[in-house]
Amino acid sequence: MGLSQQELDAFERDGWVGPFDLFEPAVAARLLSRIRAEVIPVRCEIYAHTRGELEFVDYKRDRHLDSPLAFRIASAPEIVSRASSLLGPDVLLWRSDAFEQGIGDPATAPHQDGAFEATRRTHPLIEAGEGQQAVAHQTDPFDVRIPLSIGAWITLTPVTKKRGSLWVVPGTHKELITEVPGEGFAGMKTVPSRHFEPSDGHAIEIEAGQFILFHNLVVHGSYPVEEGRRFAWTTRYVSTETRIHPRSTINAQGQDLSRWGAVLVSGQDRARRNVMRAPPAISNASILEERALAHATAG
Ligand SMILES: O=C(O)CCC(=O)C(=O)O
């Protein structure tokens, strides 16, 4: 599958590309009702022994590690083959997060994901591998051709401006914008030093079951929800050269990482730089029939 040359060019120019089809809207709606009923109410097994500083991370983060259903989505060839066009043949799934917003919820404040320092901002969560200049684009020499991380923003509800669509600011992935104190995304106490409005960006108005791929440096935010609820899921991929959580045993929201591991979703782990984990076992059943949880876990 992979990305066409035109799509690669668009990604290099804009820092995002899509939308692409993953599921029919009716399938996305059924998957969402199963995820809401069977996955989200249960704490993630990987973090059941530890608590994050933000409540959502305990229930929504890294469900690809304890939910066969979530892993089927995160490892879908439609996503992984395209991420591999950007990251190279050897790809790790390192993290996933779900973002559900309804009327009255704060919109996502504009931000770059950068190295995912997030609320603690003590150290980068992901770092370029040694000797990999292209991956090491976050400092000089600045090279955006191989991103430090690619996110797939997958929506399981239709999204429009009124329904909380993401907006991305094309071209902002070519610089690392300094940050200043402020009320930022997901509890962060910093915001970009340049002001961004939704009107600066491109609104990602897509159907349930579609996704986009975005660079870890592209500025993105969301419109406030005025109608319905929207549920989007971001699965994040890196090259096997990238070091994940190299300097800490907790993540940026305080969860203990002793049960966490990266999952190989394409190629081979030739670099052997990261803690790895086997994904939950998946079946041959249709995705709608896949098990929600690998093990029954108390909520
Ligand atoms: O869905 C959203 O509003 C936020 C998504 C986001 O910031 C991310 O996936 O990095």
Side-chain angles (χ1 to χ4, degrees):
M1 220 169 289
L3 292 175
S4 67
Q5 189 55 50
Q6 207 178 1
E7 290 164 341
L8 286 167
D9 292 345
F11 185 87
E12 186 163 351
R13 183 188 64 228
D14 298 334
W16 72 279
V17 63
F20 303 106
D21 296 335
L22 186 57
F23 305 117
E24 291 296 323
V27 172
R30 288 176 62 193
L31 287 172
L32 177 56
S33 49
R34 285 202 58 205
I35 288 169
R36 277 188 175 136
E38 300 171 54
V39 181
I40 303 290
V42 179
R43 288 192 76 193
C44 182
E45 190 185 300
I46 302 303
Y47 301 116
H49 64 294
T50 178
R51 284 211 177 262
E53 284 155 9
L54 299 173
E55 199 204 355
F56 85 88
V57 300
D58 293 334
Y59 291 88
K60 296 180 176 165
R61 171 139 322 146
D62 293 344
R63 300 315 298 260
H64 64 275
L65 291 176
D66 77 334
S67 164
L69 180 60
F71 181 67
R72 285 269 294 264
I73 300 172
S75 60
E78 291 86 346
I79 302 175
V80 170
S81 63
R82 291 178 171 112
S84 174
S85 298
L86 297 163
L87 294 169
D90 302 329
V91 178
L92 301 178
L93 169 61
W94 76 279
R95 185 161 127 176
S96 59
D97 292 290
F99 299 97
E100 181 159 26
Q101 292 171 2
I103 297 167
D105 290 338
T108 298
H111 64 284
Q112 291 181 307
D113 288 332
F116 296 85
E117 298 93 332
T119 39
R120 294 196 169 205
R121 306 210 73 79
T122 45
H123 53 77
L125 289 201
I126 49 175
E127 295 180 38
E130 283 149 24
Q132 298 293 316
Q133 284 302 344
V135 180
H137 68 81
Q138 313 290 330
T139 54
D140 289 336
F142 206 83
D143 186 337
V144 293
R145 282 171 299 174
I146 302 183
L148 195 52
S149 171
I150 290 288
W153 194 77
I154 309 160
T155 181
L156 297 179
T157 53
V159 284
T160 58
K161 288 181 185 173
K162 289 195 164 177
R163 289 176 173 267
S165 78
L166 203 70
W167 50 272
V168 293
V169 188
T172 43
H173 63 303
K174 299 194 177 180
E175 58 182 315
L176 190 55
I177 299 168
T178 52
E179 299 204 324
V180 293
E183 288 304 316
F185 173 58
M188 283 189 263
K189 298 294 172 207
T190 56
V191 293
S193 55
R194 275 167 49 204
H195 182 73
F196 293 98
E197 299 273 347
S199 57
D200 298 323
H202 174 91
I204 308 294
E205 297 190 286
I206 58 178
E207 294 295 336
Q210 291 192 302
F211 70 97
I212 63 158
L213 295 176
F214 65 104
H215 194 290
N216 62 299
L217 290 182
V218 79
V219 171
H220 56 288
S222 78
Y223 282 87
V225 175
E226 292 174 34
E227 281 174 10
R229 283 189 81 74
R230 73 97 145 136
F231 187 102
W233 201 25
T234 305
T235 51
R236 307 186 197 272
Y237 308 86
V238 295
S239 151
T240 51
E241 306 283 355
T242 301
R243 292 181 190 278
I244 313 171
H245 305 306
R247 305 195 215 178
S248 179
T249 55
I250 55 169
N251 69 19
Q253 284 87 25
Q255 291 167 303
D256 174 76
L257 291 167
S258 55
R259 298 185 191 168
W260 172 88
V263 178
L264 186 70
V265 287
S266 172
Q268 292 176 41
D269 180 23
R270 283 172 260 254
R272 294 180 177 271
R273 291 183 168 159
N274 288 297
V275 176
M276 302 292 286
R277 234 192 115 97
I282 56 175
S283 69
N284 293 325
S286 87
I287 187 144
L288 287 169
E289 306 298 322
E290 186 57 87
R291 283 179 312 151
L293 296 174
H295 307 286
T297 313

